[in-house]
Amino acid sequence: MKKTILAAACMLIAMASCQDKTKDKIKDAKEAVGAEVEQKIDTVSKKVDTAIDSTQSKTAKILEKGAEKMDKAAEQLKEASKK
């Protein structure tokens, strides 16, 4: 009977220490995943910013070309109305 109680007590102690190690491993894994997610978010954010800047630049160029065409068309209308 004493051996059984002693064995059970040893098993409980072993299980308790294993739980602590497992908790530590889970905590470490959670922190690693959190850091990795933050890095991915930073990378995606930079790519999005680059894409936005590129789109704004292209849009500005298209608008400038459109304005130039409108100016040319206005000049042609003025010349046509003079004739």
Side-chain angles (χ1 to χ4, degrees), residues 5 8 13 22-23 25 35 46-47 50 66-68 71 83:
I5 294 173
I13 291 171
T22 303
K23 287 179 185 178
K25 287 181 182 180
K46 288 177 185 176
K47 287 182 180 180
T50 302
E68 288 174 4
D71 288 342
K83 293 182 181 179

Side-chain angles (χ1 to χ4, degrees), residues 32-48:
V33 168
E36 201 170 312
V37 168
E38 285 180 27
Q39 289 174 350
K40 295 289 183 182
I41 289 172
D42 290 344
T43 301
V44 169
S45 177
K46 288 177 185 176
K47 287 182 180 180
V48 167

